[in-house]
Every structure is written in structure tokens, then in C-alpha cells.
Amino acid sequence: MGIKFGREYKDIVADFMRGIALVDGYYDLFEMSEEEWQELTPEEQEECLRTLADDIFYGLGSTPVIQVGLGSVRHDPTNHVLKVHDGEKLVSVIYLV
């Protein structure tokens, strides 16, 4: 099905990366501990987050909620946004249009 968006995809992904990084334990999806994550260079961390953001974005096209670390990402098609939660706390809203 896919997610409809009107903004530049690269801008959505950049915002999404920042949002995902606010979720406790997001690096668990890479099967890494926090210590292993910290050993990566900033460039390696950025590349991993970009890949994760891409994968989750496309996954949300068929599944409205995806677990990320101790939180989740939700697609709200009515409001054309992605919502990033750390636990139950909303930490980021990514506008798609």
C-alpha cells in the first residue's frame, strides 16, 4: 500500500532519524548493546539510523505500528504524520506533507 507524502523524502528521513534517536533502546534493532552502539563512529551511527528510518518508513506502509526499542512508531494517515513514542510518551511528530 505505501505511505503518501508530499515533502521531500530526504527531509522526512532526516526528521525521522532524529525522532528515532530519542527512543530508549533503538539500537536493539541492530542487535547491539548501548556500549556497542557508542563504539561506532558518528558517521556509522548516522548510516545505521538512516537505514533504520528507511526500513521503518516502508514497513509502516503495511503495518500501522512498529516497535522500536522501548517505544514505537505509528503512522497517522488522517493527519499525514508519523508519531514516535518512547514508551507511552510522544517524543517526535514527523510531517509528511
Side-chain angles (χ1 to χ4, degrees):
M1 182 160 127
I3 294 178
K4 295 180 182 179
F5 58 94
R7 290 177 60 205
E8 288 287 329
Y9 182 73
K10 65 180 179 66
D11 295 335
I12 293 170
V13 169
D15 290 347
F16 202 17
M17 289 168 56
R18 286 189 289 275
I20 291 169
L22 297 172
V23 178
D24 283 338
Y26 65 90
Y27 41 78
D28 287 344
L29 291 171
F30 301 111
E31 299 181 358
M32 291 183 169
S33 67
E34 183 176 6
E35 294 78 24
E36 291 170 320
W37 178 257
Q38 294 302 326
E39 289 175 4
L40 296 176
T41 66
E43 294 80 16
E44 291 170 324
Q45 289 178 355
E46 183 177 331
E47 188 59 36
C48 287
L49 277 170
R50 180 172 288 107
T51 299
L52 182 58
D54 280 332
D55 290 349
I56 293 172
F57 185 87
Y58 285 103
L60 288 170
S62 60
T63 304
V65 179
I66 295 179
Q67 297 300 310
V68 176
L70 299 177
S72 63
V73 178
R74 304 166 197 266
H75 176 221
D76 179 348
T78 304
N79 294 306
H80 307 288
V81 296
L82 303 177
K83 296 178 180 179
V84 180
H85 293 82
D86 184 20
E88 294 298 316
K89 180 182 174 186
L90 179 65
V91 295
S92 185
V93 176
I94 295 87
Y95 294 91
L96 301 172
V97 293

